[in-house]
Amino acid sequence: MTIGLPIQEILTGLSIGSRLFLVALGLSLIFGVLGVLNFAHGAFYMVGAYATASIVGAVGGNFWVAAVGAALTVGLLGAVVEFGLIRRIYDRDELDQLILTFALVLIISDLTRTIWGSGTQTVETPAAFAGNVPVLGVSFPAYRLFVIVVAFLAMGVFWYVLTRTYVGQLVRATSSDRDMAALLGVDVPRLYTGVFAVGSVLAGLGGALTTPIQSFTPALGDQVIINAFVVVVIG
């Protein structure tokens, strides 16, 4: 028992950290490439959770379809926000970015309360991961272990894309010198929209994967964004 307790705590910490990692990965991607402090990233995370709950009900309880649909929905929302608002402040002070993205937090939170209400919502754990599995001598929820695996897979995929593919070269080149990349023929506005959308997809996926683990309210985004910023700053 004395041996099992640290393992249980480590796995629980990894489960919580994995959800934060998905959010922080998108936040770091947007800031690293676009140079935008996206305070609304937590609101996108929250929208991902609510979209999952709605889609689950619409597709007969299929969580996997709902999670993918919610992530893509948030990605589309991110693309619209970048195209309509964010791209107008790239060359402005960071304070203007914070003001705009904080305004988005307030708008999205109020819209969420209008559409879904302020009550607590939950989503059932997928049947395939409803039980516990033995891990290093302790019994651990299978779904939480699945979330950890997803986070490591996301880390591997993004490392490969950014370091081993042509798209990754474009992203890194634009991040280093936007003007030079544009002179060499890179469609910087389109690339920025794509990066912002991908970062938003990660936020939406993080929110979707959270729904079977904890209940959520419109305050969910406020709870996660501070922790995500801490992860990015420490990283």
Side-chain angles (χ1 to χ4, degrees), residues 67-121:
V68 173
L72 294 178
T73 299
V74 176
L76 178 61
L77 173 63
V80 171
V81 167
E82 192 281 335
F83 182 80
L85 297 173
I86 300 297
R87 68 170 48 185
R88 288 163 172 73
I89 61 169
Y90 285 140
D91 297 321
R92 302 183 65 171
D93 188 78
E94 287 83 358
L95 183 59
D96 294 333
Q97 300 174 5
L98 286 175
I99 291 173
L100 175 59
T101 54
F102 184 70
L104 287 172
V105 172
L106 300 178
I107 294 170
I108 293 173
S109 296
D110 283 346
L111 286 174
T112 300
R113 290 185 176 89
T114 301
I115 297 171
W116 287 288
S118 299
T120 301
Q121 298 201 30

Side-chain angles (χ1 to χ4, degrees), residues 200-217:
S200 301
V201 166
L202 289 169
L205 180 61
L209 295 178
T210 296
T211 54
I213 298 176
Q214 69 177 77
S215 58
F216 52 95
T217 67

Side-chain angles (χ1 to χ4, degrees), residues 184-195:
L184 293 174
V186 178
D187 190 341
V188 175
R190 181 178 295 180
L191 180 69
Y192 275 12
T193 301
V195 169

